[in-house]
Amino acid sequence: GCSLRITADKAAGTEGPGAAETKAAKEKLDFRKDVHLRYFMYTLRMLPEDYEGFDTKRMMILYLALSGLDVLGELEKVDKKTATKAIDWIYAMQKVPPPKQPEAKAHFGFRGGPSYGGKYDPTCKAGGGGDPGLSRDEAHIAMTYSALCALRILGDDLGRV
């Protein structure tokens, strides 16, 4: 594949067709850390208008913003109040089995956002009614992963999981 072609070109001492244009394009790339930093900080405060349809994926968007700040080396920009608020919000999205149904653990974890309800209510009144095991207010494996990662990035010990 492609890696063999690059290796062969380097071994032969040639750069291949279009190499000058590729080098010029690479030299023009300008990573604007300040723009990314502002975007991630904005995303922590509110869901951008373009993402309103992604309400059920807020957890993943939060994780993206936090991990982006971490990669940029700017995680310290998240103040203690914001971190605490984010941690509390994440735990509010946790679904836990009703005390009398411990076997139902397989259906619980973290939801992606508040669109199907607030904190878990065993009667499912907050999630649209019905049986807690069959409600549309369910946890999601990708959102659970995102929640756990976001909690660890924020320094939480996962003590409330």
Side-chain angles (χ1 to χ4, degrees), residues 11-104:
T14 64
E15 294 182 309
E21 293 84 8
T22 302
K23 280 185 181 178
K26 285 182 181 177
E27 290 173 7
K28 289 182 183 179
L29 289 179
D30 181 29
F31 180 74
R32 300 277 314 273
K33 182 178 177 179
D34 61 320
V35 173
H36 289 83
L37 177 60
R38 280 196 314 268
Y39 174 77
F40 291 137
M41 292 302 293
Y42 175 77
T43 303
L44 287 179
R45 288 190 306 277
M46 65 184 335
L47 191 64
E49 186 176 338
D50 292 345
Y51 296 152
E52 286 177 356
F54 294 115
D55 190 59
T56 60
K57 295 170 183 60
R58 281 189 185 195
M59 191 67 70
M60 194 172 292
I61 293 168
L62 173 64
Y63 169 58
L64 171 70
L66 290 171
S67 60
L69 288 169
D70 196 19
V71 167
L72 293 175
E74 299 287 347
L75 196 54
E76 71 276 357
K77 299 270 189 206
V78 179
D79 60 49
K80 183 73 171 165
K81 181 179 177 183
T82 302
T84 300
K85 191 175 177 180
I87 289 169
D88 289 342
W89 180 82
I90 293 168
Y91 279 115
M93 296 300 106
Q94 184 178 15
K95 299 259 311 172
V96 295
K100 295 183 180 188
Q101 291 182 347
E103 71 282 354

Side-chain angles (χ1 to χ4, degrees), residues 71 75 125 140 148:
V71 167
L75 196 54
K125 290 180 183 171
H140 188 281
L148 295 173

